[in-house]
């Protein structure tokens, strides 16, 4: 069980990440988001943290959750904004608008992919980026929270 007294890290996931495990597995792997959430919960416990893992296909939900992270005093946010990474000025502004540190996370390495993935509005505002380790990107980012 996750220790609810432990500092919370929000793990926010954007569009199409609910399809992980079935979606282009040659790029994103076979783990589902639930698999990743389970691993994050275990790792968080080892680190003395807790995680609150969420997913939405709607940009505004992600904006609201970034605001909520600050309101509840979250230690950090891990944000995989999916395709909104490359389009969303609203997410860029939300990250800049809160004091809670945000770490951008990607399973794939967008810089090795199509040119339209090379620009990240999230990365331009985030504290740091972890990308290219598959599902392990989330775990590397969670470990990094202790170094913030
Ligand atoms: C992604 C990379 C994005 O370019 C893409 O739109 C996604 C997933 C990743 O985790 O590798 O949906 O964020």
């Amino acid at each position: 069980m996750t220790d609810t007294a432990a500092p919370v890290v929000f793990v926010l996931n954007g569009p199409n990440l609910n399809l992980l495990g079935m979606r282009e597995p040659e790029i994103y792997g076979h783990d589902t988001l639930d698999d990743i959430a389970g691993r994050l919960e275990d790792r968080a416990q080892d680190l003395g943290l807790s995680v609150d893992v969420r997913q939405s296909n709607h940009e505004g939900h992600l904006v609201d959750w970034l605001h909520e992270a600050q309101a509840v005093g979250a230690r950090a946010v891990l944000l995989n904004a999916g395709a909104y990474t490359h389009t969303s000025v609203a997410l860029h502004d939300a990250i800049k608008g809160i004091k809670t540190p945000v770490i951008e996370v990607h399973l794939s390495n967008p810089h090795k992919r199509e040119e339209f993935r090379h620009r990240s509005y999230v990365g331009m505002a985030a504290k740091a980026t972890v990308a290219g380790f598959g599902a392990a990107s989330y775990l590397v980012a969670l470990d990094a929270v202790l170094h913030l």
Side-chain angles (χ1 to χ4, degrees), residues 15 17 23 28 80-83 85-86 105-108 110 113 117:
L17 292 167
R23 171 193 182 204
Y28 300 117
N80 184 350
T85 302
H86 316 297
V105 176
H106 299 288
L107 296 118
S108 67
R113 301 180 62 195
R117 297 185 202 276

Side-chain angles (χ1 to χ4, degrees), residues 44-57:
Q45 204 172 18
D46 291 345
L47 297 173
L49 299 168
S50 64
V51 286
D52 185 337
V53 183
R54 305 181 188 183
Q55 188 277 330
S56 176
N57 293 322

Side-chain angles (χ1 to χ4, degrees), residues 2-142:
T2 304
D3 177 2
T4 46
V8 66
V9 175
F10 277 26
V11 183
L12 305 182
N13 294 279
N16 301 307
L17 292 167
N18 54 313
L19 300 179
L20 277 184
M22 317 186 281
R23 171 193 182 204
E24 299 182 273
E26 65 287 357
I27 297 174
Y28 300 117
H30 293 278
D31 292 317
T32 66
L33 195 54
D34 278 352
D35 294 333
I36 294 170
R39 255 177 264 151
L40 282 168
E41 279 163 20
D42 291 346
R43 186 81 187 133
Q45 204 172 18
D46 291 345
L47 297 173
L49 299 168
S50 64
V51 286
D52 185 337
V53 183
R54 305 181 188 183
Q55 188 277 330
S56 176
N57 293 322
H58 304 277
E59 188 176 14
H61 290 167
L62 298 167
V63 171
D64 288 344
W65 291 340
L66 285 164
H67 298 174
E68 186 185 332
Q70 166 154 284
V72 303
R75 178 74 186 80
V77 176
L78 311 188
L79 174 61
N80 184 350
Y84 290 140
T85 302
H86 316 297
T87 62
S88 180
V89 177
L91 285 175
H92 177 98
D93 287 350
I95 294 165
K96 286 197 134 174
I98 60 172
K99 294 208 164 58
T100 313
V102 175
I103 302 178
E104 177 187 30
V105 176
H106 299 288
L107 296 118
S108 67
N109 177 356
H111 294 286
K112 283 178 72 177
R113 301 180 62 195
E114 304 95 323
E115 189 148 354
F116 66 83
R117 297 185 202 276
H118 296 181
R119 171 169 300 195
S120 171
Y121 291 99
V122 168
M124 283 180 231
K127 177 91 182 157
T129 299
V130 178
F133 295 101
S137 289
Y138 289 86
L139 295 170
V140 173
L142 188 62

